[in-house]
Amino acid sequence: MLNRLQESDIKLLRVFYAVASCNGFTAAEPVLRMQRPNISAAIKKLEERLDLVLCHRGRGGFQMTKEGEVVFQETKRIFNAFDNFVFNLKSLHDDYSGHITIVLMSGLATSIQLAVSKAVKSTMKKFDDIHVNLQTRLYNEVEHVALSGECHLVLSTYDMVKPESVTFHDVGVKCKGRLYCAPTHPLAKFRESERLPDNVDIEEYPAIGISGLSSSNYIHGDKRLSIQTFSDSYEVCMAAIMTGEYVGLLPDYIAKEQGAATGLVPIAKGSLFNFEHELFVMNGKNTRLNPVLRHCIKEIEYFVSESQK
């Protein structure tokens, strides 16, 4: 079993990272510029070093094991941190080249994602030798990833108490939302009502919450949602709502983008449990905001604001 990481192990991990990212040996060949037998031999050697089976390959196609998935996620963190270290080291010599990593909260509106694409394009045009890694994380992971050194910038809504160890750059955009249910849910019949009738108690209806979301979102005056289960993203929350068994909070952009397909119903004209979550670009206080990152932040702020007009 591996006790200490050697240079040869890092090379093997890079092969595995490419294979896992490409979801197969054949797809990884042009990325690694290696032939399949050599890739297979590298993976086998890594498995021997780790004393773990990382993936299955055969007629059923490529499939990672549970252990392989853990190694993949940890490898991603290592290489992200290493790329960030190299980038920061170069910037001390006014060399603004290399890779920067930007993490987006999963489930952001399509218009916001496209705005980020424009900001990235602008940044890469201004700084010739910059490459950008774009990744996603769940809502309850964004604070950690901003602090961990895995990335340079995080774009996410945030409604918790802001830790002093994270810098928040206000984008000037608020993501609004409200309480939704499926068209088959008993409360769907009140879609056109200004409010719920006095004899209808919202606490009698099971609700689904979002992991990491402030509990204050589930309180509306003297009413409180009856949270029975949790999801880790708005997309999964929507899937649970569409079972007709739960009510839940969703951003309006999800209902707008998915409304035609799902028929999501804002309960009582959406007057219940309204929320407004501000959108921020976040970075850990230890992140060195050199000209590349400062430019990228300004471009994200500009293009995201423009996308909401």
Side-chain angles (χ1 to χ4, degrees), residues 25-309:
F25 287 60
T26 302
E29 286 185 44
V31 175
L32 292 168
R33 297 181 181 178
M34 294 171 63
Q35 295 183 340
R36 180 168 179 144
N38 294 332
I39 295 175
S40 183
I43 297 297
K44 184 177 180 181
K45 187 173 182 180
L46 179 62
E47 289 179 325
E48 290 173 354
R49 286 284 290 158
L50 300 179
D51 194 21
L52 292 170
V53 176
L54 300 177
C55 56
H56 299 299
R57 51 271 197 196
R59 293 182 180 179
F62 175 81
Q63 185 177 8
M64 275 196 293
T65 63
K66 290 182 179 179
E67 294 79 8
E69 183 63 40
V70 172
V71 173
F72 174 59
Q73 295 301 329
E74 292 303 318
T75 302
K76 182 190 294 185
R77 292 187 179 94
I78 290 172
F79 291 150
N80 281 352
F82 183 75
D83 286 342
N84 294 348
F85 167 75
V86 172
F87 177 78
N88 292 336
L89 192 63
K90 285 182 176 180
S91 70
L92 293 175
H93 298 280
D94 295 326
D95 177 1
Y96 304 118
S97 63
H99 288 75
I100 63 173
T101 301
I102 302 175
V103 168
L104 309 183
M105 181 186 82
S106 65
L108 286 175
T110 302
S111 61
I112 294 176
Q113 295 180 39
L114 293 176
V116 172
S117 298
K118 293 178 181 178
V120 167
K121 181 178 180 179
S122 169
T123 302
M124 293 178 69
K125 277 190 171 183
K126 183 174 178 64
F127 300 91
D128 294 335
D129 199 16
I130 284 293
H131 299 278
V132 180
N133 302 319
L134 287 173
Q135 301 177 3
T136 61
R137 292 291 192 281
L138 300 174
Y139 180 84
N140 61 343
E141 298 175 325
V142 293
E143 180 184 320
H144 167 75
V145 78
L147 286 168
S148 66
E150 294 176 43
C151 69
H152 292 93
L153 303 173
V154 177
L155 180 65
S156 174
T157 58
Y158 197 86
D159 76 316
M160 302 289 282
V161 176
K162 298 180 181 64
E164 293 183 359
S165 49
V166 176
T167 300
F168 292 82
H169 309 271
D170 190 354
V171 176
V173 170
K174 293 183 179 179
C175 296
K176 300 180 180 180
R178 61 205 72 240
L179 189 64
Y180 285 90
C181 69
T184 56
H185 193 277
L187 293 179
K189 63 185 177 183
F190 299 113
R191 72 176 74 200
E192 296 301 328
S193 303
E194 294 295 335
R195 62 184 183 86
L196 285 181
D198 293 337
N199 61 342
V200 176
D201 186 357
I202 193 66
E203 294 186 29
E204 294 180 0
Y205 297 89
I208 183 167
I210 301 290
S211 299
L213 203 64
S214 170
S215 59
S216 62
N217 290 279
Y218 308 125
I219 302 172
H220 180 80
D222 59 349
K223 297 181 175 63
R224 182 184 296 268
L225 290 180
S226 178
I227 304 296
Q228 299 297 319
T229 187
F230 284 89
S231 63
D232 56 12
S233 69
Y234 284 123
E235 298 97 325
V236 177
C237 182
M238 181 183 69
I241 291 171
M242 290 311 299
T243 65
E245 298 297 323
Y246 301 100
V247 299
L249 301 179
L250 290 176
D252 291 335
Y253 61 75
I254 284 192
K256 182 179 180 180
E257 292 176 359
Q258 304 290 335
T262 62
L264 281 165
V265 176
I267 300 171
K269 289 188 175 180
S271 61
L272 291 177
F273 296 89
N274 295 340
F275 64 84
E276 288 188 348
H277 295 162
E278 293 181 86
L279 187 67
F280 294 97
V281 177
M282 302 154 52
N283 63 269
K285 287 287 177 68
N286 292 329
T287 299
R288 186 172 183 268
L289 292 183
N290 60 29
V292 177
L293 297 180
R294 292 187 186 279
H295 178 81
C296 191
I297 290 171
K298 288 182 179 178
E299 293 298 274
I300 290 174
E301 291 173 348
Y302 171 76
F303 283 112
V304 170
S305 295
E306 285 294 302
S307 73
Q308 304 305 299
K309 291 181 179 178

